[in-house]
Amino acid sequence: QKEVEQNSGPLSVPEGAIASLNCTYSDRGSQSFFWYRQYSGKSPELIMFIYSNGDKEDGRFTAQLNKASQYVSLLIRDSQPSDSATYLCAVNFSGTYKYIFGTGTRLKVLA
Amino acid sequence: GAVVSQHPSRVICKSGTSVKIECRSLDFQATTMFWYRQFPKQSLMLMATSNEGSKATYEQGVEKDKFLINHASLTLSTLTVTSAHPEDSSFYICSARDPLAGGGDEQFFGPGTRLTVL
């Protein structure tokens, strides 16, 4: 059974702080990893994707991938109240174009 | 670029009726589209993978005779919920894969369709 796990939260951080969101996955052969943000009642919107081990930065967001530990994380710097949402980790398992989504972590940024 | 639309955005129907949801890729050709269902406070669950010109591949536990998927063109996939019942009430979201975007693995999501079955 291919699984993607996230802490459901809520994760509460003060405005301006760094929010750290974590995701683990079961299939060692997974090739690509995606972070989506979902506001209540809306569909997911892509934040960023990462394919290679290490860090990838895009504005206030940094994705970190460690394939040996089967772990991917998302850091949000200078968190804003508008970042309050559910963050979904999606993993594209080897040999398919399908995503398996984690359960999502609810982030609350306190003003 | 990479815009996906869904229609309708909301639908309310009576139990026993069928509902069709359309998913369109507006500015790219999507050889593969995906249909997800999301219940309140839960994550997205993949229902099926739709490939243009061929039969859809359904995930385990999804009834193919109840959720009919047609992918007749490179820009349109439809999901028909047949004989809908209240337990089918959910948020249905489609996504489309653009083989020319990034590494080709990226999916672009539609805005979703809220189905309520009375």
Side-chain angles (χ1 to χ4, degrees):
Chain A
Q1 182 75 2
K2 295 174 179 173
E3 294 181 345
V4 177
E5 296 191 0
Q6 296 180 255
N7 187 317
S8 61
L11 171 67
S12 295
V13 300
E15 184 175 359
I18 296 174
S20 177
L21 305 162
N22 304 315
C23 173
T24 59
Y25 58 95
S26 62
D27 184 0
R28 191 169 286 280
S30 299
Q31 297 296 315
S32 45
F33 309 85
F34 303 82
W35 281 101
Y36 285 86
R37 176 171 61 194
Q38 186 177 30
Y39 293 108
S40 181
K42 304 293 185 182
S43 72
E45 53 185 89
L46 180 68
I47 299 173
M48 61 192 308
F49 57 84
I50 186 167
Y51 295 153
S52 304
N53 275 329
D55 294 0
K56 179 181 179 182
E57 188 174 313
D58 184 358
R60 295 189 295 117
F61 300 96
T62 299
Q64 300 174 317
L65 175 61
N66 184 325
K67 289 187 177 181
S69 300
Q70 295 172 240
Y71 174 96
V72 57
S73 65
L74 180 70
L75 301 178
I76 306 174
R77 289 182 298 282
D78 188 24
S79 296
Q80 300 298 309
S82 58
D83 293 326
S84 298
T86 297
Y87 288 79
L88 298 165
C89 170
V91 176
N92 182 302
F93 285 88
S94 54
T96 79
Y97 292 115
K98 299 193 296 188
Y99 287 179
I100 303 296
F101 277 89
T103 52
T105 299
R106 193 154 62 96
L107 173 67
K108 289 185 176 180
V109 180
L110 307 172
Chain B
V3 178
V4 176
S5 69
Q6 264 183 260
H7 179 79
S9 58
R10 286 182 176 272
V11 57
I12 300 173
C13 68
K14 293 182 178 179
S15 186
T17 61
S18 294
V19 175
K20 180 185 281 188
I21 302 170
E22 291 187 349
C23 178
R24 292 182 186 274
S25 57
L26 298 185
D27 52 2
F28 66 99
Q29 293 186 329
T31 51
T32 307
M33 291 183 170
F34 303 87
W35 287 96
Y36 296 84
R37 181 167 52 180
Q38 186 176 34
F39 292 109
K41 300 194 184 300
Q42 295 188 23
S43 190
L44 278 74
M45 295 299 297
L46 179 65
M47 299 175 66
T49 302
S50 168
N51 292 298
E52 185 267 338
S54 64
K55 291 184 178 180
T57 304
Y58 291 81
E59 295 299 302
Q60 191 173 6
V62 177
E63 300 173 58
K64 61 179 68 175
D65 293 333
K66 180 167 185 64
F67 299 100
L68 302 179
I69 291 172
N70 184 279
H71 192 158
S73 77
L74 286 171
T75 59
L76 174 64
S77 176
T78 60
L79 168 67
T80 302
V81 184
T82 62
S83 187
H85 288 95
E87 57 266 29
D88 299 322
S89 299
S90 187
F91 192 42
Y92 291 86
I93 309 172
C94 74
S95 70
R97 173 180 159 260
D98 181 356
L100 302 180
D105 296 340
E106 189 176 348
Q107 292 181 24
F108 299 91
F109 284 82
T113 296
R114 177 79 55 193
L115 171 64
T116 303
V117 184
L118 302 177

